[in-house]
Every structure is written in structure tokens, then in C-alpha cells.
């Protein structure tokens, strides 16, 4: 099967890869590009463990064909922290014990960041509905919601201070 | 040593530090089961049966082998024939031949999704293509899914000569009955006759899946020296080692299992599914092989927890004191025997003191995947029935549902179902805390109602090993053999820090592979913080003793003169103290490396109890149920890391709510699973849930250095009946069948239920 040559930007780095027409962006991220932070919980768009941001839009990377990434910009969990400086959402996940097994965590953090990037002051209900596409079987969501609300508050403070 | 009686004097235990593996997990660096890659690795694919029951007449792999890139095919014929032995694995036990056949069918497929063959190729695409070309010739046999149907004398026979245990002399049971387990005491008929009020009802539940988000995955390599390395995520690397060894007929020492981070298990990753297959593919191909399940494989071939049909009769005197409890249930087992019927019997009424009781549990084989442990395995189903009946009994007597429970609750010193007296258990404290909780008296809105229930899990101890070593510069290293599913590295580090009297950050915890530490039973049964924690504390205490000896040498005093205080060896007579670091850097001159490995096998665990309060709102137009407020009260012994203990209470509660409202295995008439995906198997999502309020009652276990009881499982037990009661109270009709789906609620509201 002939492969497609794709050039794309991943977390600011220009990357190239070859993929088959049927391969998903998640397959390529985890396989060809060796970035296993995005997880596959279902492969069908139902769990959100594979959440990435594609040209500013939150997507399930298991539902995006790798070929579609041509010329576009992908942000993954690996790009959320700046070097060793955690993003406030990551820090709040740790402080609130918002992860147990941690398998859903990358998806939740990417999704939560995408929410706070567009809505800095969400209500609890807005957070719950924004994250309704991300499954967590361990935590019962309580601590995840609190971590995101707390991160939102901190980011608002940082913004006012800046 | 540093294990004082009062919590106030703890420095580390009871605080909420950040877990050691946290940063790796919030940045996407942690390596879970599906993330591991080996050099020159092949990709495997498994062929699964599309039939619920069929004889495999033949398997033709020729076309598959012709696919470019294919290096090996494996079928049931590649598995050695085993002598049947029973292996105990903590909460469960199993027969080796059953479990080996479950890994790959050997002549007969017993459920939709049963593995029949496997292939390994240079790419996943090639492996999938080849798997689709493997031709399996099936002779379809009659199947049976429903418990009541499978229980019948004339049911389709699943296993000829099914081994049946627990039947009375001359007692005949249907061909698919595998177990009858009974516990009884007192004179039932007489006790019921004298009862002022009785409730006698039938309850039912469908099988549900553990629902961990990480699908099973592994890499195995069969090396030239005949040894096997396996990388996988599981609840117990030692379990994977033991089962792989027994299915492949190898000595245990030839297999080394490297534990990867585990993305949830809840009992479902105690079993072995793919590791022996990957090992055989590797043996044939001479290369490392990766096998990974898809989500639909996970639903079709792993889990679930038993479905159940349950009859309960409760009798009480006019004051609400129970005089009799008669419980009979049937649990499904899936294709092979399990053990949940036994634990079901043990947990059926163990929260109450009942003078006359009879509990009978039947286990029934049916054409579903071999059931697996799920958080408090066997307890939630029967608890749903008994606690729902208890709520109906309270209604009948006009009693408050918490009051009737307080009247009947077991307390320290009372006899358990086995007759032995209870130790320091905390059910009464939980019930009383629930009663005074503001939630219990909060006003309710229109279409809203409240329900309560209590529940228990025995918890567990058992074998664990931990080692503590001091590096040349005084760094403290702890190694344990239990995977960290929910923050256990943190609790081990905290207990070690408390014992040494040093700070939490100074402890480094590693989950060791099976060749690098002594045996440890799986992470399950709510045993890890209790048993492995005990091993860590005792290993640390032994290291402290060595440190004191070395300090005595350095200070030239008698060892009896040296005491360990706050991370330092103190000699009163010499008026000197040496820090851990000072002793460590001189260890070369005082006797060499300082370390200790401790194996323990504690069985003085204590059961845990929980009481849950649930408010629901029912939409009168659709029957849809929303949980509007939820509180979980639990006797946690002592919370080492309270945030992760709360997390256990919250996570279990939400799994229980999902079980009550949405989740179910749905088979069609052809016996294949209709909802093998997260879209149709609907687990709770964030927008379904309110915050889950928690109340931790701390009644320490005196047998543990820090009072740990185990907390992981109790929380899934009470929600089923608490949710059921809340909905029942809202619509004025008891809900006796799970899941409480909108159509069932709607029918009940409109008189069709
Ligand atoms: S893996 Fe993409 S949504 Fe589940
Ligand atoms: S922390 Fe395990 S699935 Fe969310």
C-alpha cells in the first residue's frame, strides 16, 4: 500500500511522517512519532483519552485521519508543560489528587486547557459538560472538576496580575 | 518505633503530599501497558469467535501465513495439555485448565469473543489483515446466556461433566451449576413465624464491566536461553508470572514480568488474557511480540461481574430488630467457574446481627466471558437485594431507614456470620455520622427523593514483600511488588517516612519486577496499603535497627544505648546524635551496605463499612434519573493519604451509581454482545454526576502499625440500593431490577412495571 507523506506541526516542532490512508492521527502520534502521552481507550471517539488540539479545535485524535494533519498544527499533552514548568491545570491535578490510575489524565488535561483557553471563568456545570466526552473510571470526577475550577481561578489571578 | 497511638502526633501520615509518580502522569510521560515498545518488535492480532458456543472443527492458517510480513501463527493446539489444578489468587481462585482455555479456545469456543487463534506480523495492519484470513471451521452449538435458563435441568450443556461443588448428598442440579454455597444458623421457619413484619421479594441485576479505560496490552519476548520477559500492566506482575508459567508448563523462575503503569483494573486485571499468547508468538517468531486488545475485545472477552437473580425474605420484630433473613441467589459465572458466589454469601447479611439466617448462593455457567473480580467481588449484587429489602421493611414498620440499621448493625465483640467475634469495626459510627450529616435532613425539591443503604467488604491482607535500602549518600529507597493503581507509591513513601522520622520527599519508591523482589500478591482486595504497607514499615524498622548498630560502632557505645529519633541515631550516654546520612556515608567502614527485605503475610485485616446517602430527581415525562446529591460515609481505619482515600470513596460510589442506573451487558438472541463499546455501554460521565461528598470515619485497625484497614472496595457496595431507594421513594414504587433505566422508571410510574 502506498503511503502518504505528511508534514505537520506538533507542539511547535515541524514533523514529517509517512502514513497509510487508514491510519489515524492517534496511531501516528503514538507509533511513528513515538509520543505515547495521548492514550487510546476506545478508538471510536467515546472516551476522550486521545484528546488533542488541532488548529485550535479540541478533537479526538482517534477520529482524525493522519493525512488530515497535513499543513496543520497539533497540540498534545506533551506540549502542555513548558519545559519542566507544569501548566497550572497539571499542577492542580496533582494538588487535588485528581488522578488515580492516570490513564485518562492526559485527555482531561488537554480538554480542560482547551476549555480554559476560551472560557476563563466557567461554572461547574460548564466544566462538567465540556469534559463529558472524557471518561474517567477511577475518580468519580469530583476531584477532576475541583482541580479544573481551581486552575481556572489561578489562571484568572495570573492574568489580572500580569 | 515511630508509631504513636494518637493521630495528632503523626508528622506524615494523614497529610496530602503530591504523589511521586504524579508529574510523569500529568505530562504524558508515564509508560502504561499499551505504550511499551521493544526493539524489532512484531505486532500481534487475535482471532475471536463470532459464536457464543461452537466446536472448532479446524483452523486453517495457510492464507494468513502467506500475508507479507507475517512471522507466526498460534492456535489452541500450541498450548500444552495441563493437569487440572486449582490456583488461588486472593479474592478468586481458578482451575488451570479453565483459565488456559479461556486464554485460547482448545477445541470449543464458549462465548462471543473467545480467542481462537493469533498471528504476529511486522505491522499492525499486516497482522490484522492476516487475522481476518485465518479460517475457522465452527460447528455451532446451542447456547445459553440468561441465568434462569442456564440453571435449568434441560439447559444446553456448556461443559460435559461440569465439576459441581457444594451439592448435598444425592442433590441434583442442572448441568451448568458449578457451585452451591450455603451459610445458615438458627431456626428459620420458627423465627419467621414470630416476626411482626416481613418482606419477601425478588431482585435482579445484569452483568456489568469493570470499565477501566486502559485496554489490556503486553509485550513478550521468548529469549534464546529459554527465558521469557514480559512487559505489561496488571494488578499483579507475580500473578501474570504464575499463570503464564502454568499455562505454558514452565518453571516460574524462567519468567520475568516488568510491571508497567496500570490504567485501572478494579479486579479485571487480576486475570491473564494475552501474555501467554504473546509469549508463544514470540517463541515461534524469535522476536518480541506486542498484543493489545481493542475496546470491543475488552468488553467481549474480559470482565464482567456476575449478573444475579436474588430472593430475599427478611423478618423483624415490632421494634425493627431482625429475627430472620433468608437469602437465595444465583450468580452467573460466564464460561468457567468463579468464586463470587462464595463471597456473595459471606457479604449477604454480614452487616447485621440476625439470629436466624440462611444464605444460599448458586453459581451458574453460561456463554459469556469468564467473569472477573470487580471491586468487592460478589458483594454489591446481593447487597442491593438485602439493602433494598431492608428499606422496604423500614417502610412497613414506619421506621427511619438509618434507625432500623442502627438497631441491627454489627459492632465489636458481636459474632460474625462465622461465629467469631468482630474486632474494631465501625459500622455503627458510620450510621450515626450519616444520621447527623446535613445531607440527611436537607430539604428536597419537586420530583426528588432520598435513599440510603449500607454495605461492607471484608478487606484482605496476605503475602507482600518490600525492601528498604540506604544508598551511599543516605538516600532511602523502598521497593515493593504491588502496582500503583491509585496512589499507593505515595502511601508507601508516607509510611516509610513516618517510620524513619524523615520527610516524605526523602523516600524513593519503585515498583520492582518479579525477579527483583520477593513475592507479593496482587493489588486487590483492598490489601495493598494494609499488607504491603506493613512490609514497608517492618523493613524500615529492620533498617533502623541496622542503622542503630552502625551508629553504636561509630560512636563506640553499646547498641542498647542508641535510640532512633526523628531520623537520627541518638546516644544519650555519649550525648551525641548521627543523622541517617552520616551513618550511610560511613557504612563501608562499619559493615557494608544497609538494606533489608521483608516478607509478610498478615491476616489480621478488618472489614470496612460504608453508608451512602443519595438524592435523585426523576423526570416525570421521560423517567430519566439524575443524581442530585451524594454522600459516602466510610470507616477507613486510618487514612494514610486522605485525598486518595476520598478518591476511593468517590470512584467506587460513581461506579455503583453507573451500575444502578445505566450499565448492563446486553446480549442479542444470537448470543453475541450488542453493546461492546463505550457508546452503548454507558458509564457515568462528568455531566451526569454531582460532587461526591465524603465522610471518613477513622477507627484504626490495632493490628496495623498505622491503623490501616483498606478502603478501595466498600464504596461500590452501598450505591446500588441507595440509588434504588431514592428512585423508589421519588415515584412511590420500589425498584427491584437493575439497571434503573428510564424505560423501567417510566413504566413503573405509569403502572406498567
Ligand atoms: S481513544 Fe479516541 S475517544 Fe477513545
Ligand atoms: S484516573 Fe483512572 S481513568 Fe481516570
Amino acid at each position: 500500500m502506498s503511503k502518504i507523506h505528511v508534514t505537520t506541526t506538533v507542539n511547535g516542532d515541524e514533523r514529517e511522517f509517512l502514513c497509510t490512508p487508514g491510519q489515524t492521527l492517534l496511531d501516528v502520534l503514538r507509533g511513528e512519532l513515538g509520543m505515547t502521552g495521548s492514550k487510546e481507550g476506545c478508538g471510536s471517539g467515546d472516551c476522550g483519552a486521545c484528546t488533542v488540539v488541532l488548529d485550535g479545535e479540541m478533537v479526538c485524535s482517534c477520529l482524525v485521519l493522519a493525512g488530515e494533519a497535513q499543513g496543520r498544527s497539533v497540540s498534545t499533552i506533551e506540549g502542555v508543560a513548558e519545559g519542566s514548568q507544569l501548566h497550572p491545570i497539571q499542577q492542580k491535578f496533582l494538588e487535588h489528587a485528581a488522578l488515580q490510575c492516570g490513564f485518562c489524565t492526559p485527555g482531561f488535561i488537554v480538554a480542560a486547557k482547551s476549555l480554559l483557553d476560551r472560557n476563563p471563568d466557567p461554572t461547574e456545570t460548564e466544566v462538567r459538560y465540556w469534559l463529558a466526552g472524557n471518561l474517567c473510571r477511577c475518580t468519580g470526577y469530583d476531584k477532576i472538576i475541583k482541580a479544573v475550577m481551581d486552575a481556572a481561578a489561578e489562571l484568572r489571578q495570573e492574568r489580572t496580575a500580569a | 518505633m515511630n508509631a504513636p497511638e494518637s493521630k495528632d502526633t503523626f508528622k506524615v501520615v494523614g497529610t496530602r503530599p503530591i504523589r511521586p509518580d504524579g508529574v510523569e502522569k500529568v505530562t504524558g510521560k508515564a509508560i502504561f501497558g499499551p505504550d511499551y515498545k521493544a526493539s524489532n518488535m512484531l505486532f500481534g492480532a487475535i482471532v475471536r469467535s463470532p459464536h457464543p458456543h461452537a466446536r472448532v472443527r479446524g483452523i486453517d492458517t495457510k492464507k494468513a501465513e502467506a500475508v507479507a510480513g507475517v512471522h507466526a501463527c498460534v492456535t489452541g493446539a500450541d498450548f500444552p495439555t495441563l493437569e487440572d489444578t486449582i490456583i488461588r489468587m486472593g479474592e478468586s481462585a481458578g482451575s488451570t485448565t479453565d483459565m488456559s482455555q479461556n486464554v485460547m479456545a482448545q477445541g470449543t469456543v464458549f462465548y462471543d469473543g473467545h480467542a481462537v487463534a493469533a498471528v504476529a506480523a511486522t505491522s499492525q495492519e499486516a497482522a490484522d489483515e492476516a487475522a481476518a484470513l485465518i479460517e475457522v471451521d465452527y460447528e455451532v452449538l446451542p447456547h445459553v446466556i440468561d441465568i434462569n435458563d442456564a440453571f435449568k435441568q434441560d439447559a444446553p450443556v456448556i461443559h460435559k461433566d461440569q465439576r459441581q461443588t457444594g451439592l448435598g448428598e444425592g442433590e441434583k442440579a442442572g448441568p451448568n451449576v458449578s457451585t452451591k454455597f450455603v451459610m445458615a444458623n438458627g431456626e428459620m421457619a420458627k423465627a419467621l413465624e414470630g416476626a411482626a413484619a416481613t418482606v419477601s421479594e425478588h431482585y435482579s441485576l445484569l452483568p456489568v464491566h469493570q470499565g477501566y479505560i486502559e485496554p489490556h496490552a503486553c509485550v513478550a519476548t521468548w529469549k534464546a536461553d529459554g527465558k521469557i520477559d514480559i512487559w505489561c500492566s496488571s494488578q499483579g506482575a507475580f500473578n501474570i508470572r504464575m499463570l503464564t508459567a502454568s499455562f505454558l508448563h514452565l518453571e516460574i523462575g524462567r519468567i520475568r514480568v516488568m510491571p508497567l503503569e496500570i490504567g485501572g483494573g478494579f479486579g479485571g486485571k487480576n486475570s491473564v488474557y494475552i501474555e501467554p499468547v504473546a509469549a508463544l508468538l514470540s517463541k515461534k517468531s524469535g522476536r518480541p511480540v506486542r498484543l493489545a486488545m481493542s475496546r470491543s475485545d475488552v468488553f467481549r472477552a474480559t470482565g464482567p461481574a456476575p449478573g444475579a437473580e436474588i430472593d430475599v425474605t427478611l423478618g423483624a420484630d415490632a421494634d425493627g430488630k431482625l429475627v430472620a433473613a433468608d437469602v437465595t441467589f444465583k450468580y452467573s459465572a460466564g464460561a468457567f467457574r468463579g468464586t463470587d458466589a462464595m463471597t456473595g454469601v459471606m457479604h449477604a447479611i454480614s452487616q447485621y446481627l440476625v439470629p436466624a439466617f440462611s444464605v444460599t448462593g448458586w453459581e451458574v455457567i453460561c456463554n459469556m466471558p469468564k467473569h472477573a473480580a470487580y471491586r468487592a467481588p460478589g458483594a454489591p449484587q446481593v447487597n442491593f437485594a438485602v439493602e433494598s429489602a431492608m428499606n422496604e421493611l423500614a417502610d412497613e414498620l414506619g421506621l427511619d431507614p438509618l434507625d432500623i440499621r442502627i438497631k441491627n448493625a454489627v459492632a465489636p465483640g458481636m459474632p460474625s456470620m462465622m461465629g467469631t467475634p468482630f474486632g474494631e469495626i465501625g459500622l455503627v459510627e458510620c450510621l450515626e455520622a450519616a444520621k447527623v450529616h446535613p445531607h440527611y435532613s436537607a430539604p428536597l425539591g419537586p420530583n426528588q427523593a432520598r435513599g440510603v443503604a449500607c454495605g461492607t467488604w471484608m478487606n484482605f491482607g496476605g503475602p507482600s514483600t518490600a525492601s528498604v535500602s540506604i544508598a551511599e549518600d543516605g538516600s532511602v529507597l523502598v521497593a515493593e511488588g504491588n502496582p500503583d493503581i491509585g496512589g499507593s507509591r505515595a502511601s508507601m513513601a508516607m509510611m516509610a517516612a513516618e517510620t524513619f522520622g524523615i520527610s516524605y520527599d526523602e523516600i524513593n519508591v519503585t515498583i520492582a519486577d518479579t525477579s527483583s523482589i520477593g513475592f507479593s500478591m496482587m493489588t486487590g482486595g483492598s490489601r495493598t496499603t494494609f499488607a504491603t504497607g506493613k512490609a514497608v514499615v517492618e523493613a524500615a524498622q529492620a533498617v533502623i535497627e541496622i542503622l542503630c548498630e552502625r551508629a553504636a560502632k561509630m560512636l563506640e557505645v553499646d547498641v542498647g544505648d542508641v535510640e532512633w529519633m526523628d531520623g537520627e541515631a541518638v546516644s544519650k550516654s555519649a550525648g551525641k546524635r548521627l543523622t541517617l546520612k552520616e551513618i550511610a556515608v560511613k557504612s563501608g567502614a562499619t559493615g557494608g551496605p544497609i538494606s533489608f527485605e521483608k516478607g509478610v503475610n498478615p491476616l489480621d485485616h478488618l472489614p470496612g463499612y460504608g453508608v451512602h446517602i443519595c438524592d435523585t430527581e426523576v423526570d416525570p415525562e421521560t423517567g430519566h434519573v439524575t443524581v442530585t446529591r451524594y454522600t459516602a460515609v466510610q470507616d477507613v481505619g486510618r487514612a494514610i493519604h486522605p485525598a486518595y482515600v476520598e478518591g476511593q470513596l468517590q470512584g467506587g460510589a460513581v461506579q455503583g451509581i453507573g451500575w444502578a442506573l445505566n450499565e448492563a451487558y446486553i446480549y442479542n438472541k444470537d448470543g453475541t454482545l450488542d453493546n461492546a463499546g463505550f457508546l452503548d455501554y454507558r458509564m457515568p460521565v462528568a455531566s451526569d454526576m454531582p460532587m461526591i461528598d465524603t465522610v471518613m470515619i477513622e477507627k484504626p485497625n490495632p493490628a496495623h502499625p498505622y491503623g490501616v484497614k483498606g478502603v478501595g472496595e466498600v464504596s461500590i457496595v452501598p450505591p446500588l440500593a441507595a440509588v434504588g431507594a431514592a428512585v423508589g421513594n421519588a415515584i412511590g414504587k420500589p425498584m427491584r431490577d437493575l439497571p434503573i433505566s428510564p424505560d423501567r422508571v417510566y413504566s413503573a410510574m405509569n403502572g406498567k412495571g
Side-chain angles (χ1 to χ4, degrees):
Chain A
M1 196 185 309
S2 74
K3 293 209 170 188
I4 309 168
H5 177 253
V6 175
T7 309
T8 187
T9 308
V10 181
N11 301 328
D13 296 331
E14 186 169 300
R15 303 293 300 260
E16 283 178 76
F17 58 82
L18 292 174
C19 65
T20 63
Q23 256 179 315
T24 66
L25 177 58
L26 179 63
D27 290 337
V28 167
L29 284 171
R30 293 179 50 79
E32 278 72 3
L33 299 182
M35 299 167 76
T36 56
S38 307
K39 305 298 178 195
E40 178 164 346
C42 67
S44 57
D46 300 312
C47 78
C50 64
T51 305
V52 303
V53 172
L54 182 63
D55 280 349
E57 289 298 321
M58 178 173 95
V59 294
C60 292
S61 60
C62 71
L63 296 183
V64 176
L65 290 171
E68 292 182 74
Q70 170 62 38
R72 301 172 77 180
S73 163
V74 185
S75 312
T76 72
I77 183 65
E78 286 89 349
V80 173
E82 285 182 34
S84 59
Q85 181 63 44
L86 294 182
H87 186 279
I89 298 173
Q90 293 171 312
Q91 187 59 35
K92 292 299 174 190
F93 263 64
L94 295 177
E95 288 170 13
H96 286 267
L99 56 148
Q100 283 178 32
C101 77
F103 193 77
C104 68
T105 310
F108 268 100
I109 287 172
V110 172
K113 180 168 182 298
S114 160
L115 168 65
L116 301 189
D117 283 348
R118 66 190 69 204
N119 178 0
D121 193 5
T123 62
E124 182 193 324
T125 306
E126 284 171 333
V127 174
R128 286 188 179 276
Y129 275 89
W130 185 271
L131 297 177
N134 290 77
L135 288 176
C136 174
R137 191 58 157 174
C138 300
T139 64
Y141 304 105
D142 183 296
K143 292 183 189 301
I144 293 177
I145 304 301
K146 286 185 179 135
V148 174
M149 301 288 288
D150 195 9
E154 182 165 315
L155 282 162
R156 284 196 302 275
Q157 253 185 356
E158 273 177 26
R159 275 194 204 108
T160 3
Chain B
M1 264 149 229
N2 293 288
E5 282 303 294
S6 151
K7 182 187 172 185
D8 302 332
T9 55
F10 288 135
K11 292 202 177 81
V12 185
V13 166
T15 62
R16 299 176 180 232
I18 285 172
R19 63 196 279 174
D21 52 332
V23 172
E24 298 297 295
K25 286 181 177 162
V26 297
T27 53
K29 289 181 197 144
I31 300 299
F32 288 84
D35 301 336
Y36 187 79
K37 291 187 190 77
S39 166
N40 203 31
M41 171 178 98
L42 296 175
F43 299 81
I46 289 185
V47 181
R48 296 183 182 278
S49 167
H51 305 294
H53 195 193
R55 194 165 7 258
V56 177
R57 279 192 293 230
I59 302 175
D60 188 348
T61 58
K62 268 196 250 44
K63 282 187 195 149
E65 278 160 41
V67 172
V70 168
H71 284 257
C73 287
V74 159
T75 70
D78 293 298
F79 280 75
T81 312
L82 303 174
E83 224 174 88
D84 196 20
T85 46
I86 301 296
I87 301 182
R88 289 215 67 83
M89 299 168 296
E91 290 164 342
S92 50
S95 113
T96 45
T97 50
D98 280 2
M99 290 188 289
S100 166
Q101 284 190 68
N102 192 45
V103 165
M104 189 156 281
Q106 291 157 30
T108 307
V109 291
F110 291 106
Y111 51 92
D112 167 38
H114 198 162
V116 281
V119 44
T122 46
S123 70
Q124 193 62 55
E125 290 79 10
D128 291 342
E129 185 191 337
L133 291 171
I134 290 183
E135 288 169 3
V136 185
D137 180 14
Y138 294 104
E139 177 194 339
V140 177
L141 301 170
H143 70 273
V144 59
I145 306 275
D146 178 78
I147 305 174
N148 287 325
D149 291 343
F151 188 76
K152 289 180 186 150
Q153 292 284 353
D154 60 352
V157 176
I158 297 175
H159 300 289
K160 262 201 288 107
D161 311 317
Q162 171 65 49
R163 196 154 50 83
Q164 301 186 310
T165 53
L167 296 181
E169 268 293 299
E171 186 175 12
K172 272 245 175 293
N176 301 318
V177 168
S178 53
T179 302
K180 181 187 183 189
F181 189 77
V182 184
M183 286 178 87
N185 186 42
E187 285 183 60
M188 178 63 59
K190 229 171 108 192
L192 275 174
E193 234 166 72
T198 57
V199 166
S200 196
E201 295 297 343
H202 183 80
Y203 302 85
S204 76
L205 304 88
L206 291 169
V208 295
H209 198 272
Q210 293 76 356
Y212 35 81
I213 312 298
E214 176 203 46
H216 303 250
C218 72
V219 174
T221 180
W222 196 304
K223 299 186 288 187
D225 61 3
K227 302 212 164 117
I228 302 169
D229 285 350
I230 297 171
W231 292 263
C232 65
S233 65
S234 77
Q235 285 176 249
F238 291 90
N239 212 45
I240 301 285
R241 178 180 77 168
M242 182 252 295
L243 293 174
T244 304
S246 75
F247 301 164
L248 301 181
H249 226 335
L250 302 169
E251 307 89 73
I252 280 178
R254 278 173 61 181
I255 300 176
R256 180 177 179 197
V257 181
M258 266 58 69
L260 304 172
E261 297 305 327
I262 169 171
F266 314 109
K269 286 180 186 160
N270 291 340
S271 315
V272 165
Y273 297 102
I274 50 177
E275 289 79 3
V277 182
L280 285 177
L281 286 168
S282 173
K283 184 184 187 186
K284 285 197 169 181
S285 63
R287 287 167 66 170
V289 174
R290 173 182 192 265
L291 268 179
M293 285 194 185
S294 69
R295 177 54 52 184
S296 97
D297 293 345
V298 172
F299 275 114
R300 288 167 72 209
T302 75
E309 297 286 337
I310 310 168
D311 290 296
V312 179
T313 301
L314 297 179
D317 66 16
D319 289 337
K321 268 251 183 222
L322 288 170
V323 294
D326 191 355
V327 182
T328 300
F329 64 78
K330 299 182 202 108
Y331 279 3
S332 60
F336 302 98
R337 297 165 60 90
T339 48
D340 285 10
M342 190 175 87
T343 48
V345 169
M346 291 162 62
H347 291 88
I349 53 154
S350 60
Q351 65 272 40
Y352 301 125
L353 185 68
V354 195
F357 65 82
S358 169
V359 185
T360 303
W362 295 92
E363 183 190 74
V364 191
I365 306 290
C366 57
N367 293 111
M368 281 189 252
K370 178 188 184 326
H371 292 0
Y374 180 23
R375 207 167 195 155
Q381 296 95 330
V382 69
N383 176 276
F384 164 66
V386 168
E387 287 295 289
S388 297
M390 200 66 178
N391 286 328
E392 295 187 41
L393 190 66
D395 281 351
E396 204 176 308
L397 287 162
L399 286 171
D400 173 273
L402 286 177
D403 285 341
I404 194 173
R405 288 176 167 84
I406 291 170
K407 274 182 210 281
N408 291 289
V410 289
M414 286 183 185
S416 69
M417 278 173 85
M418 323 266 220
T420 48
F422 278 110
E424 289 302 302
I425 57 170
L427 173 57
V428 175
E429 289 85 341
C430 291
L431 289 162
E432 277 163 359
K435 206 160 175 215
V436 300
H437 193 282
H439 181 176
Y440 197 58
S441 48
L444 290 157
N447 302 316
Q448 292 185 352
R450 181 164 297 143
V452 297
C454 69
T456 175
W457 177 251
M458 60 186 170
N459 292 326
F460 201 62
S464 274
T465 308
S467 81
V468 174
S469 53
I470 308 295
E472 310 86 281
D473 64 352
S475 303
V476 181
L477 294 101
V478 173
E480 55 158 326
N482 280 102
D484 180 349
I485 310 191
S488 64
R489 281 184 185 89
S491 57
M492 297 306 151
M494 291 171 75
M495 287 185 274
E498 192 74 58
T499 308
F500 276 108
I502 60 179
S503 80
Y504 167 78
D505 301 329
E506 292 174 84
I507 309 279
N508 306 278
V509 183
T510 302
I511 316 291
D513 68 71
T514 55
S515 295
S516 306
I517 188 122
F519 180 81
S520 299
M521 204 178 122
M522 68 188 77
T523 296
S526 300
R527 60 174 295 278
T528 304
T529 314
F530 174 74
T532 308
K534 207 165 189 175
V536 167
V537 170
E538 289 183 17
Q541 288 168 339
V543 164
I544 288 171
E545 244 174 73
I546 302 172
L547 289 165
C548 287
E549 283 163 21
R550 302 296 178 87
K553 268 193 198 163
M554 288 166 71
L555 297 172
E556 297 177 333
V557 297
D558 195 77
V559 68
D561 183 52
V562 180
E563 231 188 298
W564 190 261
M565 277 169 62
D566 298 331
E568 296 178 338
V570 182
S571 161
K572 289 226 176 72
S573 65
K576 284 192 181 145
R577 37 179 68 222
L578 287 170
T579 64
L580 207 162
K581 189 183 157 103
E582 286 166 331
I583 304 167
V585 294
K586 288 273 157 39
S587 61
T590 57
I594 299 170
S595 71
F596 200 90
E597 182 163 316
K598 178 75 186 177
V600 299
N601 190 19
L603 292 169
D604 39 13
H605 51 281
L606 285 175
Y609 296 85
V611 180
H612 289 198
I613 312 170
C614 173
D615 293 357
T616 59
E617 183 172 320
V618 177
D619 181 338
E621 276 173 33
T622 62
H624 181 264
V625 174
T626 309
V627 176
T628 52
R629 185 167 179 184
Y630 204 95
T631 303
V633 184
Q634 190 171 316
D635 168 24
V636 300
R638 184 172 279 122
I640 301 297
H641 192 307
Y644 285 103
V645 173
E646 289 163 2
Q648 290 295 319
L649 271 53
Q650 294 164 333
V654 170
Q655 284 184 317
I657 294 168
W659 197 337
L661 291 177
N662 301 318
E663 297 177 33
Y665 260 44
I666 300 168
Y667 281 90
N668 56 37
K669 65 173 186 354
D670 299 328
T672 60
L673 187 61
D674 262 348
N675 60 338
F678 283 140
L679 187 62
D680 298 316
Y681 184 94
R682 178 63 163 74
M683 309 200 307
V685 301
S687 55
D688 296 331
M689 287 298 125
M691 291 298 183
I692 307 291
D693 200 2
T694 58
V695 179
M696 294 182 283
I697 305 291
E698 292 200 306
K699 195 164 184 188
N701 177 358
H704 186 276
Y706 296 112
V708 170
K709 274 184 178 160
V711 296
E713 282 163 299
V714 172
S715 54
I716 201 173
V717 184
L720 283 57
V723 172
V727 178
N729 291 338
I731 66 169
K733 297 250 176 74
M735 299 307 293
R736 301 192 185 108
D737 304 291
L738 300 188
I740 302 170
S741 50
D743 59 314
R744 276 184 167 152
V745 178
Y746 187 85
S747 302
M749 278 191 298
N750 293 283
K752 292 178 211 128

